[in-house]
Amino acid sequence: MSVTSANRLELLQIADAVAREKMIDPSLVIEAMEDSLGKAARSRYGAEYDIRAKIDRKSGDLTLTRHRQVVAEPENLFTELTLLEAQAIAPGIELGGEIIDPLPPMDFGRIAAQSAKQVIMQKVREAERLRQYEEFKDRQGEIINGIVKRTEYGNVIVDVGRGEAILRRDQLIQREAFRNGDRVRALIREVRHETRGPQIFLSRTAPEFLAELFKMEVPEIYDNIIEIKAVARDPGSRAKMGVISYDSSIDPVGACVGMRGSRVQAVVNELGGEKIDIIPWNQDPATFLVNALQPAEVSKVVFDDDSERIEVVVPDEQLSLAIGRRGQNVRLASQLTGFDIDIMTEAQESERRQAEFAERTQLFMDSLNVDEMVAQLLVAEGFATLEEVAYVDLEELGSIDGFDQSTAEELQARARESLEEMNAKAVEHARELGVQQDLFDFEGLTPQMIEVLAVDGIKTLDDFATVADWELAGGYTTVDGKRVKDTGLLEKFDMSLEEAQTLIMKARVQLGWVDAADLVSATAEESGDAADEEEERA
């Protein structure tokens, strides 16, 4: 390949043709040509030299030049030279300058030409990938239409017009098969800038895909009159979607269903027959959950803020309907609401209540030395622990039917005496286990709490300051996609996660690990962030 006046304009024509074909900037193709021609020239003159090729953007003229930097102490004699040597070539040049020597034109051999072609193609591919990334990076979350180009190992490669996208096997709806030439609609889930391979990742199983389909079918959603608050899917089988209307005259569920089900049916057809339950969203989690468990009827809901769990009581005959086939109904309701759901029948709940009642009754009989009737009266009035009896307002205790002032005083005295005895035994056992005095002196832990900590090997304030809040208060971890309960050491003492955090940080401040001023500042900042989040939700 010899770059002469006969073919110099051809370089510009080739660059323009490639740029049009790949839909990239012609200057990028010319830069790729310059890099490749420079590489070919180095293979002729020497790979150690800094040789650059320059193509004139108007005439197509090619010039080859060798570049050397002027430095105080050259390390590479091929690309650097001293100030003295440089001034002999170009008087007046200073350190940091550059000596540029023109090189004579050259004929490129077959191997050099092939190498130049490879460099050009590589640069063009990189430019094409960058162009594709720039075009699609801001389109995540949009639905796109494409044509199936080919299938590789179960993954579907889709032609999306000005690029290729990949629809992975795990992002396809079950029993869904595409052939070459089929039209496909999917959600742009992710756009990544990678050195090789597809950069646009599509999905037909994402909850957002269902939401975007409804936005296309329901004008009220597009106009923000109706909002989709939550979506949970078992792709290809069933889905639940919570919606709310900001116009009291518009029924959100009816608008999404459409006349004779036309709107929802269009989405169902696109998703291969996936059944969709459209549920009115409610700010109250318990009410929203009752709606989410439809078609099952719910008798009672018990909401636990600390553990983010909800206990649902249903009639015996409704249990299988509430759980659904293979647990599908309760699983989707849990995903939709964000809470773990425990479902039990009315008979199971009654049995559990009776067991708790009997357990608390026995506690009061043993600790307060009272008969069964008195113990049952206390439990029926809502007393669950000795501490509640010992430190409740005396008038509240005396207001129980059958109790007078003297009875209340006697019960409270016995409760406090029993607690003192239990605390004394706990302290004695904790000391036997080797608990240090600094842990006893720490304010916020009862003797019985210290005994439990000691059994687990936490015997000093240093030990206590290193534990995690969830180790004390309990929590949940996700294992294989399922939330698993972690029982906290002090959970039986009704310690919340916030109380555990406060105690641990207090211990760290007391030990000098954390500065109290920094702690106050961090707490105020967290409170401000929480307030901002709450305001945004409102």
Side-chain angles (χ1 to χ4, degrees), residues 244-300:
I244 185 173
S245 173
Y246 295 112
D247 186 337
S248 58
S249 65
I250 296 178
D251 171 26
V253 176
C256 292
V257 172
M259 187 73 71
R260 295 179 182 175
S262 59
R263 290 174 174 177
V264 71
Q265 194 58 47
V267 178
V268 169
N269 293 340
E270 177 63 43
L271 299 178
E274 186 173 317
K275 295 181 178 65
I276 302 172
D277 297 333
I278 303 172
I279 298 154
W281 187 83
N282 195 291
Q283 194 169 3
D284 176 43
T287 305
F288 183 40
L289 178 64
V290 171
N291 296 337
L293 280 171
Q294 292 175 357
E297 297 175 5
V298 176
S299 303
K300 188 168 75 171

Side-chain angles (χ1 to χ4, degrees), residues 364-511:
F364 290 140
M365 288 171 64
D366 295 341
S367 302
L368 301 177
N369 192 22
V370 294
D371 59 27
E372 187 177 8
M373 183 181 294
V374 173
Q376 287 179 346
L377 277 171
L378 287 170
V379 177
E381 288 295 324
F383 290 95
T385 64
L386 279 178
E387 284 83 356
E388 291 176 3
V389 177
Y391 300 110
V392 75
D393 188 84
L394 202 58
E395 290 182 4
E396 186 176 336
L397 202 57
S399 65
I400 300 174
D401 287 342
F403 287 11
D404 56 21
Q405 183 75 10
S406 61
T407 304
E409 290 175 355
E410 177 63 24
L411 284 173
Q412 202 161 68
R414 289 185 185 184
R416 290 176 180 176
E417 185 180 338
S418 181
L419 279 173
E420 287 173 5
E421 187 179 334
M422 291 167 65
N423 287 340
K425 288 181 180 178
V427 169
E428 185 180 352
H429 185 212
R431 290 196 186 282
E432 289 173 0
L433 292 171
V435 173
Q436 301 298 306
Q437 189 61 40
D438 60 355
L439 195 58
F440 282 115
D441 294 338
F442 182 66
E443 189 178 345
L445 295 175
T446 67
Q448 292 176 57
M449 290 179 182
I450 293 172
E451 181 185 22
V452 171
L453 292 173
V455 170
D456 200 65
I458 300 168
K459 302 176 183 179
T460 67
L461 193 60
D462 282 58
D463 295 340
F464 181 76
T466 58
V467 300
D469 48 15
W470 61 267
E471 290 181 273
L472 298 181
Y476 291 86
T477 52
T478 302
V479 179
D480 297 331
K482 296 181 179 178
R483 294 189 77 193
V484 179
K485 178 76 173 73
D486 292 320
T487 304
L489 292 172
L490 305 182
E491 191 173 344
K492 67 178 182 179
F493 299 102
D494 292 329
M495 178 168 287
S496 68
L497 203 61
E498 290 75 17
E499 290 170 337
Q501 290 170 350
T502 301
L503 282 175
I504 292 167
M505 293 310 294
K506 182 180 173 185
R508 291 173 183 174
V509 170
Q510 195 165 311
L511 289 167

Side-chain angles (χ1 to χ4, degrees), residues 124-407:
V124 167
R125 278 196 297 269
E126 288 174 3
E128 190 178 9
R129 278 196 289 266
L130 182 61
R131 188 267 309 158
Q132 184 175 307
Y133 172 74
E134 290 295 330
E135 182 178 339
F136 287 94
K137 68 177 182 179
D138 297 324
R139 296 181 63 185
Q140 289 189 40
E142 287 185 17
I143 286 181
I144 194 168
N145 294 309
I147 297 174
V148 175
K149 206 169 185 180
R150 62 186 182 277
T151 303
E152 297 176 352
Y153 308 105
N155 302 323
V156 179
I157 308 302
V158 182
D159 184 349
V160 290
R162 297 182 65 177
E164 281 187 357
I166 183 168
L167 187 54
R168 293 188 184 277
R169 183 169 46 189
D170 61 343
Q171 297 300 316
L172 287 167
I173 296 171
Q174 291 179 7
R175 302 180 299 279
E176 199 169 46
F178 290 102
R179 292 177 296 183
N180 291 358
D182 286 352
R183 296 193 67 82
V184 62
R185 182 186 287 182
L187 181 88
I188 301 176
R189 187 173 189 181
E190 188 179 6
V191 182
R192 290 208 299 260
H193 188 29
E194 296 183 347
T195 53
R196 55 185 298 175
Q199 298 168 300
I200 305 166
F201 298 91
L202 306 179
S203 173
R204 285 176 56 81
T205 61
E208 296 83 2
F209 182 49
L210 183 144
E212 287 297 314
L213 286 173
F214 268 101
K215 188 182 289 185
M216 294 169 66
E217 294 292 336
V218 183
E220 291 87 348
I221 296 176
Y222 184 82
D223 294 333
N224 295 320
I225 298 171
I226 293 174
E227 182 184 357
I228 299 173
K229 299 290 285 186
V231 178
R233 288 183 68 191
D234 192 348
S237 178
R238 196 175 199 92
K240 289 181 182 286
M241 181 176 76
V243 292
I244 185 173
S245 173
Y246 295 112
D247 186 337
S248 58
S249 65
I250 296 178
D251 171 26
V253 176
C256 292
V257 172
M259 187 73 71
R260 295 179 182 175
S262 59
R263 290 174 174 177
V264 71
Q265 194 58 47
V267 178
V268 169
N269 293 340
E270 177 63 43
L271 299 178
E274 186 173 317
K275 295 181 178 65
I276 302 172
D277 297 333
I278 303 172
I279 298 154
W281 187 83
N282 195 291
Q283 194 169 3
D284 176 43
T287 305
F288 183 40
L289 178 64
V290 171
N291 296 337
L293 280 171
Q294 292 175 357
E297 297 175 5
V298 176
S299 303
K300 188 168 75 171
V301 173
V302 181
F303 181 55
D304 185 350
D305 275 314
D306 291 335
S307 61
E308 293 192 345
R309 291 187 74 83
I310 287 184
E311 286 184 356
V312 176
V313 181
V314 297
D316 293 22
E317 68 276 6
Q318 294 279 315
L319 180 63
S320 60
L321 190 61
I323 293 173
R325 186 181 178 188
R326 297 176 183 171
Q328 186 185 66
N329 195 54
V330 69
R331 183 173 67 251
L332 290 176
S334 177
Q335 291 173 15
L336 197 69
T337 58
F339 289 96
D340 285 319
I341 302 171
D342 291 330
I343 292 186
M344 62 180 70
T345 63
E346 291 174 343
Q348 290 171 331
E349 199 239 352
S350 175
E351 186 179 328
R352 191 192 67 175
R353 276 206 320 268
Q354 289 173 9
E356 287 179 353
F357 191 88
E359 184 183 340
R360 291 172 183 175
T361 299
Q362 193 62 48
L363 169 68
F364 290 140
M365 288 171 64
D366 295 341
S367 302
L368 301 177
N369 192 22
V370 294
D371 59 27
E372 187 177 8
M373 183 181 294
V374 173
Q376 287 179 346
L377 277 171
L378 287 170
V379 177
E381 288 295 324
F383 290 95
T385 64
L386 279 178
E387 284 83 356
E388 291 176 3
V389 177
Y391 300 110
V392 75
D393 188 84
L394 202 58
E395 290 182 4
E396 186 176 336
L397 202 57
S399 65
I400 300 174
D401 287 342
F403 287 11
D404 56 21
Q405 183 75 10
S406 61
T407 304

